[in-house]
């Protein structure tokens, strides 16, 4: 159902272009604001206007906002190569392959962990939004490795709390460009959406607290294999922090990786793998841990880079 909004132009927007004013008032992109204006869904003092018109404080704005898009639902289809590392009545732990998102999102049409589990006959918790049932944490679509999904409602609540309270051990391996100095350290730098609004995230003053601990496992001639522990779990956190140190993950073109090095190592996505997960089992209270082997592409590139050294 369309959303009708009527309000006066705030004095603080005096002299702004109409599309810019709409963008700021309603959190729209400038492109989306221009589309609404062009379609006649924006009236200024009762009349249609052009996107480049300058607004005056106190003018009356009538806007018809389209309904938000419906959340995409998971498609139940088995995912080749998604190994089950552990399953019991409460949890299921998978080794997520490349090219698979945790759950459906607007704009993602590929396979998802939740859809793969449902398509293979597994039951998951029904808590949370319908498109994210059972999902208590996420990995980027092109990040592989260990991921836990809740099967019972009790497990969902327990694990959501554990991730929020940072009592889960999350260990990653990343192959990054060059050699870090020092070889072991902590990155404590806030992260938020990139100011350019292009899908990237960045270290931004006033962003969300983000803490990454790294340790060099092995230094090769052109790259270093790192062991990384996360205290927080921000979107793209490792990728952003490594890029901020000027040592992006090999193959991570979104965050400034060298395409020549990636091609030489045969890497077509960020070299980042969730090696292990450890947490208190929701029912037994015992500490449990799960380890996910490297996929073939990452294992092959390690052989290549070690041979170069």
């Amino acid at each position: 159902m369309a959303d009708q909004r009527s309000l006066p132009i705030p004095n603080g927007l005096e002299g702004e272009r109409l599309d810019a004013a709409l963008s700021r008032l309603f959190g729209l992109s400038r492109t989306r604001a221009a589309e609404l204006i062009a379609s006649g869904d924006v009236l200024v003092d009762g009349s249609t206007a052009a996107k480049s018109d300058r607004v005056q404080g106190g003018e009356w704005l009538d806007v018809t906002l389209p309904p938000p898009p419906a959340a995409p639902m998971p498609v139940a289809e088995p995912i080749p190569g998604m190994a089950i590392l552990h399953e019991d009545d409460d949890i299921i732990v998978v080794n997520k392959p490349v090219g698979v998102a945790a759950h459906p999102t607007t704009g993602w049409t590929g396979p998802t962990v939740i859809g793969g589990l449902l398509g293979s006959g597994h039951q998951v918790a029904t808590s949370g939004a319908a498109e994210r049932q059972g999902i208590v944490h996420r990995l980027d679509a092109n990040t592989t490795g260990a991921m836990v999904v809740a099967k019972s409602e009790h497990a969902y609540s327990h694990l959501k709390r554990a991730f929020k309270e940072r009592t889960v051990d999350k260990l990653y391996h990343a192959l990054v460009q060059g050699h870090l100095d020092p070889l072991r350290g902590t990155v404590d730098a806030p992260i938020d959406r990139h100011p350019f609004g292009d899908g990237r995230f960045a270290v931004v003053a006033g962003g969300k607290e983000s803490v990454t601990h790294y340790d060099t496992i092995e230094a090769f001639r052109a790259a270093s294999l790192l062991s990384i522990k996360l205290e927080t779990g921000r979107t793209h956190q490792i990728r952003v922090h490594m890029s901020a140190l000027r040592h992006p993950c090999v193959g991570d073109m979104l965050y400034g990786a060298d395409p020549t090095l990636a091609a030489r190592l045969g890497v077509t996505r960020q070299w980042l793998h969730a090696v292990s997960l450890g947490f208190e089992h929701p029912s037994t209270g015992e500490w449990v841990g799960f380890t996910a082997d490297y996929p073939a592409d990452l294992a092959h590139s390690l052989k290549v880079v070690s041979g170069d050294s």
Side-chain angles (χ1 to χ4, degrees):
M1 188 175 186
D3 184 7
Q4 304 285 340
R5 302 285 187 93
S6 296
L7 70 164
I9 299 286
N11 290 332
L13 294 181
E14 176 89 32
E16 289 269 9
R17 283 171 53 112
L18 178 57
D19 55 356
L22 279 181
S23 176
R24 291 179 60 183
L25 281 170
F26 300 108
L28 304 170
S29 69
R30 287 279 287 271
T31 301
R32 189 72 188 97
E35 290 172 349
L36 289 177
I37 296 165
S39 63
D41 289 322
V42 179
L43 301 178
V44 178
D45 281 344
S47 302
T48 56
K51 65 181 181 180
S52 59
D53 287 354
R54 302 289 173 173
V55 300
Q56 305 300 316
E59 286 181 323
W60 199 260
L61 188 65
D62 291 294
V63 181
T64 302
L65 295 171
M73 297 304 292
V75 177
E77 55 182 5
I79 296 174
M82 189 168 78
I84 305 297
L85 302 177
H86 171 83
E87 184 175 10
D88 59 38
D89 290 341
D90 290 295
I91 59 174
I92 183 164
V93 184
V94 303
N95 187 351
K96 188 184 83 64
V98 66
V100 179
H103 59 77
T105 57
T106 302
W108 177 258
T109 57
T112 64
V113 169
I114 188 68
L117 292 176
L118 294 174
S120 300
H122 298 278
Q123 299 296 314
V124 298
T126 57
S127 299
E131 74 277 11
R132 298 195 297 272
Q133 290 179 1
I135 298 295
V136 292
H137 72 123
R138 293 176 292 180
L139 296 176
D140 295 343
N142 285 332
T143 296
T144 50
M147 183 175 158
V148 61
V149 178
K151 291 180 63 179
S152 68
E153 310 308 315
H154 166 70
Y156 181 87
S157 298
H158 180 95
L159 289 171
K160 287 288 282 187
R161 184 169 60 252
F163 276 98
K164 182 178 181 180
E165 295 176 354
R166 306 179 188 174
T167 60
V168 178
D169 278 354
K170 298 175 282 186
L171 179 66
Y172 295 75
H173 283 180
L175 187 69
V176 303
Q177 295 179 189
H179 305 137
L180 279 83
D181 182 15
L183 296 177
R184 172 188 295 180
T186 295
V187 185
D188 185 348
I191 290 175
D192 212 331
R193 292 191 178 276
H194 196 286
F196 289 171
D198 55 2
R200 286 181 296 165
F201 286 74
V203 171
V204 177
K208 296 177 181 177
E209 179 193 15
S210 307
V211 181
T212 302
H213 305 285
Y214 71 87
D215 192 3
T216 301
I217 299 172
E218 190 167 358
F220 307 106
R221 184 169 63 83
S224 299
L225 181 64
L226 305 184
S227 173
I228 296 177
K229 279 198 168 186
L230 293 182
E231 263 192 46
T232 53
R234 308 304 176 202
T235 302
H236 296 184
Q237 179 173 323
I238 294 173
R239 300 167 63 189
V240 169
H241 276 171
M242 291 302 106
S243 178
L245 293 178
R246 303 193 184 282
H247 296 282
C249 295
V250 170
D252 194 357
M253 308 310 174
L254 187 64
Y255 288 103
D258 176 7
T260 303
L261 176 61
R264 183 159 61 80
L265 300 183
V267 179
T268 58
R269 45 101 172 191
Q270 67 265 16
W271 204 114
L272 182 60
H273 182 71
V275 173
S276 64
L277 267 179
F279 50 86
E280 184 184 89
H281 191 279
S283 288
T284 67
E286 295 179 0
W287 188 261
V288 292
F290 308 97
T291 301
D293 292 338
Y294 293 156
D297 63 332
L298 301 190
H300 172 74
S301 61
L302 267 188
K303 288 182 180 178
V304 176
V305 77
S306 61
D308 287 347
S309 302

